[in-house]
Amino acid sequence: MWIERLRRQPLVVRAIWAVLAFAFAAALIEARWSLAFVSVATFALSLVPVLAQRRLGIRLPVRFFGWIVVFVFATIFLGEAFDFYNRFWWWDVVLHGGSAMAFGLIGFLFVFMLFQGDRYAAPAWAVAFMSFSFAITIGALWEIFEFAMDQVFGLNMQKTGLVDTMWDLIVDTLGAGLGATAGFFYLKGRELGGLTAALREFVAANRRLFRRRPGRRRGP
């Protein structure tokens, strides 16, 4: 059963899980306990979407699941265990932009679900703006979290302080704008790379979430 489920996962997900298993085994042999812990933690977090979709009653398309696993791997395993944040100055920028774009897509799906999948319930630009606002809010809350951790526990999550925070917010804005634009293009029936395709896949896999509820009608 588990082997069959493993075969159904995207190639990139199976490759990442294999790397994590190898890193965990090597860490145990070399008594590198921190690497072993990070490997297990990364694998556990990569399984959260599987558990969440069962709990919430949603279905994650292969593309969505693959993106999530890659992001977790890049953030926790490569970023922390192998110090990619300090090795490559652009690593944090790419991850911030990617997460903001993802939250833009999630914000669009959430707003679209509230409108029960009705493309004409609100202007496309208004839905895109709400998606953009959702993603920016998440980014701002994360910066507040980093500031709180630095102040309370003496960490260095903000690195260069104000400069790091402002660049993070700028990248968040660009990523959120791209995610919201993908939602706008989706409503207009146009393409924007693989982003609009991902939205279509999610809506198709979760039709019941985007259906008008019986007994509800528009107007007074």
Side-chain angles (χ1 to χ4, degrees):
M1 181 179 179
W2 282 102
I3 295 178
E4 184 60 31
R5 288 183 180 178
L6 181 62
R7 287 176 180 170
R8 282 190 237 152
Q9 303 306 327
L11 179 60
V12 65
V13 172
R14 284 182 281 167
I16 287 174
W17 285 347
V19 169
L20 292 175
F22 177 80
F24 177 71
L28 290 181
I29 294 173
E30 298 172 6
R32 298 173 61 186
W33 310 122
S34 61
L35 177 59
F37 173 77
V38 171
S39 301
V40 171
T42 304
F43 178 72
L45 287 173
S46 72
L47 293 179
V48 168
V50 178
L51 301 176
Q53 64 179 337
R54 290 181 181 176
R55 183 80 175 176
L56 299 176
I58 62 175
R59 295 180 60 190
L60 279 178
V62 171
R63 197 190 308 252
F64 266 75
F65 182 58
W67 285 351
I68 293 172
V69 173
V70 169
F71 181 78
V72 170
F73 180 73
T75 304
I76 307 297
F77 189 76
L78 296 180
E80 298 297 336
F82 289 91
D83 201 26
F84 272 37
Y85 288 115
N86 290 322
R87 289 187 183 186
F88 307 103
W89 65 268
W90 45 266
W91 195 255
D92 186 53
V93 174
V94 170
L95 293 181
H96 259 282
S99 61
M101 181 185 68
F103 279 118
L105 296 175
I106 292 171
F108 167 78
L109 290 171
F110 179 71
V111 173
F112 195 44
M113 183 177 65
L114 292 180
F115 286 125
Q116 300 175 345
D118 188 349
R119 290 173 177 261
Y120 308 104
W125 66 265
V127 177
F129 178 74
M130 285 185 276
S131 308
F132 175 79
S133 300
F134 176 85
I136 288 294
T137 299
I138 297 297
L141 289 175
W142 177 256
E143 295 305 319
I144 293 173
F145 170 76
E146 286 189 346
F147 175 77
M149 291 297 102
D150 290 353
Q151 294 298 310
V152 175
F153 298 105
L155 302 179
N156 188 31
M157 297 184 70
Q158 290 184 296
K159 300 178 179 66
T160 55
L162 178 62
V163 175
D164 178 77
T165 298
M166 292 311 301
W167 275 114
D168 284 348
L169 289 175
I170 290 170
V171 173
D172 287 344
T173 301
L174 295 175
L178 182 58
T181 301
F184 177 85
F185 274 47
Y186 171 81
L187 292 177
K188 291 293 186 179
R190 297 163 63 185
E191 295 294 327
L192 184 63
L195 299 179
T196 46
L199 292 175
R200 278 199 304 273
E201 287 176 13
F202 187 91
V203 173
N206 299 274
R207 285 289 182 191
R208 63 182 184 80
L209 299 177
F210 299 91
R211 267 188 212 142
R212 184 169 297 281
R213 274 57 168 182
R216 301 182 70 177
R217 58 181 182 176
R218 194 180 305 173

